[in-house]
Amino acid sequence: MNKILDIIKDPILTYEQKVLTLARAAEDSIDVLNISKEVQDLRDKDIICDLYEGHAPYRPRYIVPDYEKFLKQGSKFLKLEPTTSLEDAINNLIILYRHVPSISSFPVYIGNLDVLLNPFVKDDEKSFQAIKRFLKYIDRTITDSFCHANIGPLDTIAGRLILRAERELQDSIPNITIKYSKETSDDFAIDAINTALITAKPSFANDQMFRNDFKGDYAIVSCYNGLNIGGGSYSLVRLKMNKLAFTANDLDDFLESKLPTAANLMLEYLDERVRFLVEETPFFERNFLVKEGLIDINNFTAMFGMVGLAEAVNCFIENPKDKLQRFGHSVNADNIGIKIMDKLYEIVQEHKSKYLYGSNGHYLLHAQVGIDTDNSTSPGCRIPIGEEPEIHEHVLKAGIFHKYFPSGIGDIFSFDSTVKNNPNYVLDIIKGSFKNGMRYFSPYASDCDVIRITGYLVKISEIEKLREGEQVLRDTVALGMGSVINQHILDRKIRK
């Protein structure tokens, strides 16, 4: 009861944030999952971490509605007619967004916006102002930085208007990804880079790589998670590779004993979370998104997350104090990382779960971006901040590991502000990195107020307000502040 009262009396939380925090506290007041002693032991040791997903999953963590279908058919439940104009499209979308559940209670995916809006826009000031108001409304009402829009890969009028609006607004929400392919014109890509160097978005997704993995179209949601359109992910739980490595006697013990044991226990835990949601809650029987065909259980999967590969590898090298031997700097460290990932991939692929219809019964590997309380734990397979090599070497080293993660991995690069004078330099790097296996590339400039924390965006000015004890509109600012302190986000190597 004291926890509830503490939430009610908290002077920093807004009213909306208190309501959501109270709801999470209520969910966590019950224990309904069948968790084995062995799983609970690894949870207690913080080796298996469920990212505060809640004690009783009653909705999927990530939901990816088919917004194109929605605009064409309208919604019986919401009493909305099919869309015939830009005004209708925007109005209907913001109504639907209000009713898309997720782990954060806000939509984590709001559609491939340029594809959705382009049939209704003209290259004029009226359309631009309508799109700008639409994006401002999203920033002010979906107050959670895990809200994600997609654009591309084709150059469209709507895509151009969205980029122009984002350059003017410089808001942190929504996060945006451009699906980049051979079909993307250099001019459109440069427009996107010019925008990213002002407001840290869009990021670039290797469209061909994602299409190969998903056998067609896909969505980038939340931080950078690839998922099926019309589906989503029931759950995301992560394995902290570094903490597990600390328990191993050597690399062989890690690969042959500790990793298989822990990974299989985490799969057991994921199975139980998925089972409860599908079998014991009415979500997939009663929610209107399912009834109206905007999502389908046959497109759902779940995600096996991991963090801390760099620190795990550094446990098994001969002289970890020698920077040239550490992860991201030596062939030996690369090979250890590959051995670990090959083993983890093999274990996850050997396991089948009956409700993962959208991924042939398998969990999708996900390089999780970390959380605000992580300390000395690098996101996914990233090279630790403070140890980054030069960018040409960095993209080659990072690209080694991107193939394992269809449901998301990415690297972030902070560029000196003078790079704004030469966006072609950034485009050449992106092209080269994608040719060498990178899946996802996020650029921003060192003088941006909006910065990419780990996968989501936060304004530095908002973090400063929170530091001074002021209330802030977006709940993810608190997460960003924790990551700045614990993960040294502001100390990323600046590329020139």
Side-chain angles (χ1 to χ4, degrees):
M1 186 56 71
N2 285 341
K3 183 178 180 181
I4 301 298
L5 192 58
D6 288 346
I7 296 169
I8 290 171
K9 289 188 174 182
D10 191 306
I12 301 300
L13 295 176
T14 64
Y15 166 75
E16 184 180 48
Q17 290 161 3
K18 283 184 182 178
V19 171
L20 293 173
T21 308
L22 287 167
R24 292 184 190 114
E27 181 184 350
D28 289 344
S29 68
I30 58 175
D31 289 304
V32 295
L33 300 177
N34 297 315
I35 301 175
S36 69
K37 179 180 177 300
E38 291 79 9
V39 168
Q40 188 57 45
D41 182 51
L42 291 184
R43 293 180 73 213
D44 292 341
K45 291 175 179 174
D46 197 28
I47 290 173
I48 290 176
C49 168
D50 62 19
L51 300 163
Y52 309 108
E53 205 169 76
H55 289 194
Y58 58 94
R59 70 300 194 210
R61 183 183 182 95
Y62 302 126
I63 292 178
V64 189
D66 185 341
Y67 291 107
E68 283 190 75
K69 185 174 185 179
F70 165 71
L71 290 183
K72 287 176 183 172
Q73 73 180 24
S75 169
K76 184 178 178 182
F77 183 75
L78 297 175
K79 295 182 170 56
L80 295 173
E81 298 297 320
T83 298
T84 58
S85 67
L86 180 60
E87 290 77 12
D88 278 349
I90 290 174
N91 189 58
N92 287 1
L93 285 171
I94 60 178
I95 290 172
L96 179 57
Y97 294 158
R98 179 67 181 78
H99 302 284
V100 177
S102 78
I103 185 62
S104 67
S105 295
F106 296 101
V108 294
Y109 174 66
I110 57 173
N112 218 102
L113 288 186
D114 57 346
V115 173
L116 295 174
L117 300 181
N118 204 57
F120 311 109
V121 301
K122 296 178 180 177
D123 190 8
D124 60 17
E125 195 62 17
K126 184 179 178 183
S127 291
F128 171 69
Q129 290 300 335
I131 285 176
K132 187 176 176 182
R133 285 193 296 273
F134 172 50
L135 293 170
K136 182 184 287 186
Y137 182 89
I138 290 169
D139 179 71
R140 304 303 193 272
T141 59
I142 302 176
T143 54
D144 183 275
S145 296
F146 299 110
C147 167
H148 208 129
N150 296 177
I151 61 173
L154 300 180
D155 187 349
T156 60
I157 294 172
R160 295 284 188 152
L161 296 180
I162 289 167
L163 291 173
R164 178 186 163 198
E166 288 295 350
R167 286 196 295 274
E168 292 188 12
L169 291 167
Q170 297 186 41
D171 287 329
S172 57
I173 300 170
N175 199 344
I176 300 178
T177 289
I178 178 171
K179 296 174 175 177
Y180 179 79
S181 75
K182 291 178 181 177
E183 295 183 287
T184 309
S185 70
D186 279 2
D187 197 48
F188 189 41
I190 291 295
D191 206 26
I193 290 168
N194 285 333
T195 306
L197 293 176
I198 290 174
T199 189
K201 56 184 168 180
S203 292
F204 283 67
N206 187 333
D207 186 58
Q208 190 59 57
M209 194 170 184
F210 275 106
R211 284 183 185 278
N212 290 343
D213 286 338
F214 284 91
K215 313 302 180 194
D217 207 3
Y218 63 95
I220 302 296
V221 319
S222 189
C223 287
Y224 51 39
N225 314 346
L227 291 171
N228 290 319
I229 293 173
S233 176
Y234 303 111
S235 178
L236 165 61
V237 179
R238 65 178 187 164
L239 187 63
K240 299 180 81 168
M241 306 289 274
N242 53 331
K243 288 205 168 185
L244 183 64
F246 296 151
T247 69
N249 297 321
D250 51 33
L251 181 59
D252 287 342
D253 182 40
F254 183 78
L255 291 172
E256 300 305 322
S257 176
K258 297 297 190 300
L259 183 59
T261 300
N264 280 302
L265 287 170
M266 195 167 106
L267 289 164
E268 173 190 318
Y269 182 46
L270 275 162
D271 282 349
E272 172 60 9
R273 296 192 67 84
V274 173
R275 184 204 63 78
F276 182 85
L277 174 62
V278 175
E279 295 182 1
E280 299 199 31
T281 77
F283 182 86
F284 285 101
E285 296 173 1
R286 305 304 298 270
N287 189 277
F288 81 97
L289 295 170
V290 179
K291 287 185 171 183
E292 298 188 4
L294 302 180
I295 58 173
D296 186 326
I297 195 170
N298 290 309
N299 293 324
F300 270 80
T301 185
M303 298 151 71
F304 186 109
M306 53 75 65
V307 291
L309 180 67
E311 290 78 11
V313 168
N314 290 337
C315 282
F316 303 120
I317 60 177
E318 191 171 333
N319 183 7
K321 291 184 179 179
D322 181 355
K323 180 181 173 182
L324 295 179
Q325 290 192 32
R326 291 168 67 82
F327 183 82
H329 294 272
S330 78
V331 173
N332 179 48
D334 291 345
N335 290 336
I336 293 173
I338 291 168
K339 280 184 182 177
I340 292 173
M341 284 311 309
D342 281 346
K343 187 67 179 182
L344 183 60
Y345 182 81
E346 176 189 321
I347 295 166
V348 174
Q349 281 298 302
E350 283 178 351
H351 183 88
K352 294 204 76 169
S353 185
K354 62 181 178 179
Y355 296 119
L356 307 183
Y357 305 116
S359 51
N360 295 319
H362 298 292
Y363 288 96
L364 297 182
L365 275 174
H366 175 75
Q368 202 268 328
V369 297
I371 59 175
D372 58 320
T373 53
D374 283 346
N375 212 325
S376 300
T377 304
S378 295
C381 302
R382 283 186 196 157
I383 299 169
I385 291 174
E387 299 184 19
E388 303 102 315
E390 295 303 323
I391 193 163
H392 63 281
E393 190 178 353
H394 194 147
V395 297
L396 293 176
K397 295 283 187 185
I400 295 171
F401 298 99
H402 281 214
K403 66 181 180 183
Y404 297 100
F405 299 96
S407 71
I409 184 172
D411 285 85
I412 303 171
F413 299 94
S414 174
F415 288 90
D416 185 85
S417 59
T418 57
V419 172
K420 293 175 183 175
N421 298 322
N422 187 15
N424 280 297
Y425 165 68
V426 180
L427 181 56
D428 287 343
I429 294 170
I430 293 170
K431 287 180 177 179
S433 66
F434 283 3
K435 282 182 182 176
N436 286 279
M438 278 195 78
R439 182 183 291 276
Y440 199 81
F441 186 105
S442 298
Y444 67 94
S446 56
D447 62 347
C448 288
D449 185 26
V450 178
I451 63 167
R452 190 163 295 276
I453 297 295
T454 50
Y456 59 96
L457 304 173
V458 169
K459 285 190 168 190
I460 294 175
S461 55
E462 292 286 296
I463 291 176
E464 291 307 314
K465 283 184 185 176
L466 190 61
R467 278 184 196 271
E468 293 169 6
E470 292 185 41
Q471 290 189 340
V472 292
L473 180 61
R474 300 159 193 84
D475 58 2
T476 32
V477 175
L479 304 181
M481 186 170 74
S483 293
V484 165
I485 295 169
N486 293 320
Q487 299 173 28
H488 311 290
I489 299 301
L490 301 182
D491 297 330
R492 283 195 184 106
K493 189 182 184 78
I494 297 175
R495 318 296 178 150
K496 298 180 179 177

